[in-house]
């Protein structure tokens, strides 16, 4: 069974996982009626990476398959690091992956910063109900009083402030009367809880920072844990899926929503947080902060450098949305953190591209082949299938002539045993063309081979009866020199030499692969002269390539190597 069929069947019946089991149970019990509403909540502080793609495929995929909706929500409560540039890039990335956030009625695009008024109002409500207080300890005092894994925390001397005093202080915090760090608002939960997140977590802090959307309207900003659950509840999210590091935050998530439900703000059932394992991909980094460092320090050419594991990066590299989705399906959803091998990612892409990509010829390291007994000035047309398994996609044609470009490695003056390509006295087939016999090579004064010479057999043309009379062990690819299109090809390799470049707090910069980008001047067959950006091909014998989406100009394609034909990494070349 080929992959296309296997995957088509999979789409009909999605592979179950523990999250789907929870949703199925909820649907059976009628907890939410039959409603399924999820959200993907990125912070617009960087470009999305392949780890986010896992979360996107999960959240949007679940909503899609249950006939629900997935919201795109910007979790934008850190004014210093966020921007419209990042918002736009995230919108583009999710759309490119093929997901949308529209229901029949409306668009489900949200910003946590749109909830600032409500979040503030709810904080006052918690104060009024004795569930939050203004703490005026210094950051050091707060840290010291938090206790440890073996020691309970010490209540703040300000913990028992009156509601009136707390309200007054909180309003003055908002009015800008205090300096940053002078006061914070804390939830009043349990300083002796074994869970640190429950030891009166900070829910508001003072920041005199310009926010890209709300400008200077606010100088108090809500913390992530406080904002996230409330945003979920305001948007009627049913299942709030997040990565495992938030497992210890779930009691706080539930506490806040419960308190606000007790206060009559939200009705039950309340959104349920469910954690799954994050994606760690070998030879890649999935932390926006570290990716930003690669960009800022010039180790790569930008967020969309084809070596970056960002969505814009893998897009420019030539990965397809379908290949990425197939990868996410294959790795599945579990609760156990693990590393996924880069070869799994590349394998999913090969399986997607093998079916889709038209074939073409490219000579990456050109060497001239002269057919001495072929008439000068003569050309004839050869043809080859666009796709070997899909004859319905037709044929491509290209000229054959006296001078061709071949791959430098397809000639050896002194060939070792087992080398079946060109060497003096040996015959090979020029794929889709004639059989030729090598007669020798021309060299420059330094002894470098500058041209290979051969004679052809006029009755050996592929597809003719005579072809069968020639038994050769080697077939090589070629392009007619006069019509060949010169192109720049960028050969990318893995950005890191080590499988886990940042594991155990290591300096990932030390693991950078110095040879991750190589530029070669190559030739492609004439039919590729006028292709569009982002068109993908399989260059026979070389791998999958894409016309760079930014640098390809009419008549002048520039190619990126997406991935080689086989997984050859770490094996001798
Ligand atoms: P980073 O550490 O790179 O900044 P983040 O988790 O802070 O990542 P967010 O913008 O907050 O980035 O992430 C949005 C969503 O994507 C969150 O729900 C988060 O759990 C999920 N996510 C982030 N990284 C991964 C990953 N490696 N695998 C799976 N999901 C991820
Ligand atoms: Mg985050």
């Amino acid at each position: 069974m080929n992959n296309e069929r296997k995957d088509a069947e999979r789409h009909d019946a999605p592979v179950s996982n523990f999250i789907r089991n929870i949703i199925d149970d909820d649907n059976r019990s009628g907890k939410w009626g039959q409603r399924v509403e999820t959200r993907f909540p990125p912070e617009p502080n960087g470009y999305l990476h392949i780890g986010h793609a896992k979360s996107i495929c999960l959240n949007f995929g679940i909503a899609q398959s249950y006939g629900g909706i997935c919201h795109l929500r910007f979790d934008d409560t850190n004014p210093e690091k966020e921007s419209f540039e990042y918002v736009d890039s995230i919108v583009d990335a999710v759309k490119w992956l093929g997901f949308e956030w529209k229901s029949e009625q409306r668009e489900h695009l949200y910003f946590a910063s749109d909830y600032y008024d409500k979040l503030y109002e709810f904080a006052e409500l918690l104060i009024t109900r004795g569930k939050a207080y203004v703490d005026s300890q210094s950051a050091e005092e707060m840290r010291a009083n938090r206790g440890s894994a073996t020691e309970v925390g010490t209540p703040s001397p300000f913990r028992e402030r009156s509601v009136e005093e707390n309200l007054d202080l909180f309003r003055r915090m908002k009015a800008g009367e205090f300096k940053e760090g002078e006061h914070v608002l804390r939830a009043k939960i349990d300083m002796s809880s074994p869970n640190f997140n429950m030891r009166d977590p900070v829910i508001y802090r003072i920041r005199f920072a310009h926010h890209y959307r709300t400008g200077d309207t606010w100088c108090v900003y809500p913390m992530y844990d406080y904002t996230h659950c409330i945003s979920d509840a305001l948007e009627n999210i049913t299942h709030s899926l997040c990565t495992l590091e938030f497992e210890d935050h779930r009691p706080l998530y539930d506490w806040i929503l419960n308190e606000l439900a007790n206060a009559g703000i939200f009705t039950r059932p309340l959104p349920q947080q469910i954690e799954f394992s994050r994606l760690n991909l070998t030879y890649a980094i999935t932390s926006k902060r570290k990716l930003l460092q690669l960009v800022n320090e010039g180790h790569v050419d930008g967020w969309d450098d084809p070596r970056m594991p960002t969505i814009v990066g893998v897009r420019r590299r030539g990965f397809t949305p379908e290949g990425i989705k197939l990868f996410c399906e294959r790795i599945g959803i579990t609760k156990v953190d693990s590393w996924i091998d880069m070869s799994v990612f590349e394998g999913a892409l090969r399986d997607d591209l093998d079916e889709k990509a038209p074939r073409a010829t490219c000579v990456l390291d050109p060497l001239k082949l002269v057919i001495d007994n072929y008439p000068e000035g003569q050309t004839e047309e050869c043809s080859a299938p666009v796709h070997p398994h899909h004859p319905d996609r037709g044929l491509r044609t290209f000229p054959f002539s006296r001078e061709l470009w071949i791959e430098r490695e397809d000639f050896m003056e002194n060939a070792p045993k087992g080398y079946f390509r060109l060497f003096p006295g040996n015959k090979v087939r020029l794929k889709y063309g004639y059989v030729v016999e090598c007669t020798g090579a021309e060299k420059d004064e330094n002894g470098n081979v500058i041209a290979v010479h051969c004679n052809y057999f006029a009755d050996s043309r592929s597809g003719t009866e005579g072809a069968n009379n020639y038994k050769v062990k080697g077939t090589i690819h070629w392009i007619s020199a006069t019509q060949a299109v010169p192109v720049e090809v960028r050969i990318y390799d893995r950005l890191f030499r080590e499988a886990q470049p940042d594991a155990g707090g290591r300096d990932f910069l030390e693991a950078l692969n110095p040879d991750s980008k190589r530029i070669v001047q190559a030739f492609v067959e004439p039919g590729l002269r006028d292709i569009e950006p982002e068109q993908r091909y399989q260059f026979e014998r070389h791998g999958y390539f894409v016309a760079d989406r930014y640098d390809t100009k009419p008549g002048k394609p520039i190619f990126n190597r997406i991935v080689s034909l086989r997984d050859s990494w770490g094996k001798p070349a």
Side-chain angles (χ1 to χ4, degrees), residues 14 18 29 45 132 144 180 196 205 207 359 381 388 457 493 543:
F18 75 97
S29 73
N45 63 347
E180 289 188 6
F196 274 94
R205 76 250 198 250
R207 277 273 183 290
R359 276 30 175 186
E381 198 166 78
F457 299 92
D493 204 338

Side-chain angles (χ1 to χ4, degrees), residues 196-365:
F196 274 94
N197 295 299
M198 300 299 272
R199 293 187 186 174
D200 292 8
V202 173
I203 57 176
Y204 261 92
R205 76 250 198 250
I206 301 172
R207 277 273 183 290
F208 289 93
H210 189 84
H211 186 277
Y212 75 106
R213 289 184 85 240
T214 57
D216 298 315
T217 311
W218 294 88
C219 63
V220 287
Y221 288 94
M223 301 298 283
Y224 172 87
D225 279 331
Y226 176 72
T227 308
H228 198 86
C229 54
I230 294 178
S231 306
D232 283 348
L234 287 170
E235 293 174 21
N236 296 312
I237 297 300
T238 56
H239 304 86
S240 179
L241 316 179
C242 63
T243 37
L244 278 174
E245 65 269 26
F246 291 103
E247 196 163 19
D248 288 347
H249 299 236
R250 189 180 347 123
L252 178 55
Y253 182 105
D254 291 340
W255 184 91
I256 293 168
L257 291 188
N258 216 9
E259 289 303 330
L260 291 172
N262 290 343
I265 300 293
F266 297 127
T267 52
R268 296 186 170 85
L270 296 164
Q272 180 184 0
Q273 175 179 309
I274 305 169
E275 309 85 17
F276 64 95
S277 66
R278 61 188 287 119
L279 168 65
N280 299 306
L281 189 62
T282 60
Y283 301 98
I285 283 205
T286 46
S287 149
K288 278 185 282 190
R289 183 179 58 75
K290 292 175 190 165
L291 293 172
L292 180 64
Q293 192 183 343
L294 288 175
V295 173
N296 284 346
E297 295 179 6
H299 302 291
V300 293
D301 301 331
W303 286 104
D304 60 2
D305 186 303
R307 292 166 294 179
M308 288 281 272
T310 50
I311 297 189
V312 279
V314 298
R315 175 176 181 181
R316 190 163 182 196
R317 177 73 169 263
F319 279 64
T320 56
E322 296 77 16
I324 294 170
K325 286 186 210 166
L326 180 57
F327 166 69
C328 290
E329 246 171 74
R330 285 182 180 170
I331 60 176
I333 298 295
T334 68
K335 257 190 171 309
V336 188
D337 269 324
S338 66
W339 284 77
I340 302 290
D341 201 86
M342 181 60 103
S343 62
V344 179
F345 188 39
E346 294 172 345
L349 186 77
R350 283 192 193 95
D351 288 343
D352 182 51
L353 286 181
D354 182 36
E355 274 300 307
K356 287 182 187 159
R359 276 30 175 186
T361 306
C362 170
V363 173
L364 283 176
D365 186 9

